Amino acid sequence: MPFLDHLEELRWRILYSLLGLVVGVGVAFLIVIKLDLLNVLQHPIAPLLGGHKLVYTHPGDPFSIVMSASMWLGIALAFPVIGYNIWAFVAPALYSHEKRVVLPILIGAVLLFLCGAAMAYFVVIPLTLDFLLTFQTASLDPMITVQEYFGFVISLVVSFGLAFELPIAVVLLTMLGIVTPAFLQKFRRHAAAVCVLIGAFLSPGDAVTSTIAMAVPLYILYELSVFLSYFVKRRRDKRIAAKEAAEAAEAAANAAAEPVQ
């Protein structure tokens, strides 16, 4: 396909993706309003408010929060459309063995993100809020604004979801030949220390409970990444060996077919 035709194809794929995003955000807005999704998102902090509600200090805060929640939910709803258009654009340039692994990687990435987001919402956020809102309560009276709370929740949910993409990143790097299982094993202790640091950074609050709640799953994901790296490298080595054998056989056949001078 000529270069200008590639640009035209890219333009339409972007337009289709944007249209899917707009529709997704519109549907998400209706879901947030009709199902009172903001009330659902307040469940982790509701038991700690003593019967009170979250407050807001700016007239536009409620609408801003609804639009923010609609945007994130809309992106999730539009992901199949966006993913399909990305796939439709890049698929013609991929080899058959690359096409076979794209779909499992996309499904794995979605499932891992959902697992990370669920862990943040159901485990880490309640633990963190329980620590933060019971700290120095004898001398301080908390007044939590809706803007700050939802910013806190969304940032943790997205951070945990992205952190759980570690196995996918390792698999891609292994497929590209950038990392190897031996490399991952060599730096296993360093990885454990980095997991603890990431856990402390992404889960503010109790220096023990919330940090461990993040660091332990991250390290388990790292060990899973080592296993997947072995599997991917073995398949990659077999494919390279088969290709080299085929090229050697073709060269030998061509040499045998050449007339003797």
Side-chain angles (χ1 to χ4, degrees):
M1 184 182 294
F3 178 71
L4 292 179
D5 290 343
H6 278 295
L7 291 181
E8 181 69 12
E9 175 73 10
L10 178 61
R11 184 174 74 91
W12 281 107
R13 293 302 173 189
I14 293 176
L15 289 176
Y16 290 145
S17 299
L18 291 176
L19 179 61
L21 181 60
V22 171
V23 174
V25 172
V27 173
F29 181 81
L30 295 178
I31 293 175
V32 171
I33 296 298
K34 296 296 183 179
L35 300 182
D36 196 11
L37 192 60
L38 296 187
N39 187 47
V40 175
L41 294 176
Q42 293 182 60
H43 285 174
I45 198 174
L48 303 173
L49 294 177
H52 300 288
K53 296 181 179 180
L54 295 173
V55 300
Y56 62 92
T57 58
H58 189 278
D61 280 350
F63 182 77
S64 175
I65 292 299
V66 169
M67 290 306 300
S68 179
S70 300
M71 179 62 70
W72 286 106
L73 181 59
I75 292 174
L77 294 177
F79 181 79
V81 177
I82 297 174
Y84 169 77
N85 282 281
I86 294 174
W87 166 254
F89 181 74
V90 303
L94 299 177
Y95 294 105
S96 58
H97 67 271
E98 293 173 333
K99 292 180 180 180
R100 288 195 297 268
V101 301
V102 169
L103 185 59
I105 285 178
L106 288 177
I107 294 175
V110 172
L111 293 178
L112 285 172
F113 185 90
L114 292 176
C115 288
M119 181 176 178
Y121 181 77
F122 291 107
V123 178
V124 177
I125 290 177
L127 288 174
T128 304
L129 290 175
D130 183 64
F131 170 79
L132 294 177
L133 295 184
T134 56
F135 184 75
Q136 292 292 322
T137 53
S139 55
L140 299 173
D141 189 17
M143 185 177 67
I144 311 300
T145 66
V146 64
Q147 188 80 24
E148 295 295 333
Y149 171 73
F150 281 106
F152 172 79
V153 169
I154 290 175
S155 64
L156 275 182
V157 168
V158 174
S159 297
F160 271 63
L162 293 177
F164 271 55
E165 299 294 329
L166 175 62
I168 302 299
V170 171
V171 166
L172 292 176
L173 291 175
T174 305
M175 291 175 61
L176 295 173
I178 298 176
V179 300
T180 63
F183 174 85
L184 296 174
Q185 282 190 324
K186 179 181 178 181
F187 290 95
R188 180 175 272 127
R189 294 181 179 179
H190 301 80
V194 171
C195 289
V196 174
L197 291 176
I198 294 176
F201 177 76
L202 293 182
S203 54
D206 183 358
V208 178
T209 307
S210 58
T211 299
I212 292 177
M214 179 61 181
V216 171
L218 266 183
Y219 186 74
I220 293 175
L221 289 173
Y222 181 82
E223 293 295 336
L224 175 62
S225 302
V226 176
F227 171 77
L228 293 175
S229 180
Y230 270 111
F231 179 74
V232 172
K233 186 177 184 302
R234 185 172 60 183
R235 293 192 59 180
R236 182 172 181 269
D237 291 342
K238 287 183 178 180
R239 187 173 63 251
I240 292 175
K243 182 179 179 181
E244 291 177 348
E247 291 176 350
E250 182 180 358
N254 292 335
E258 290 181 357
V260 177
Q261 299 294 334

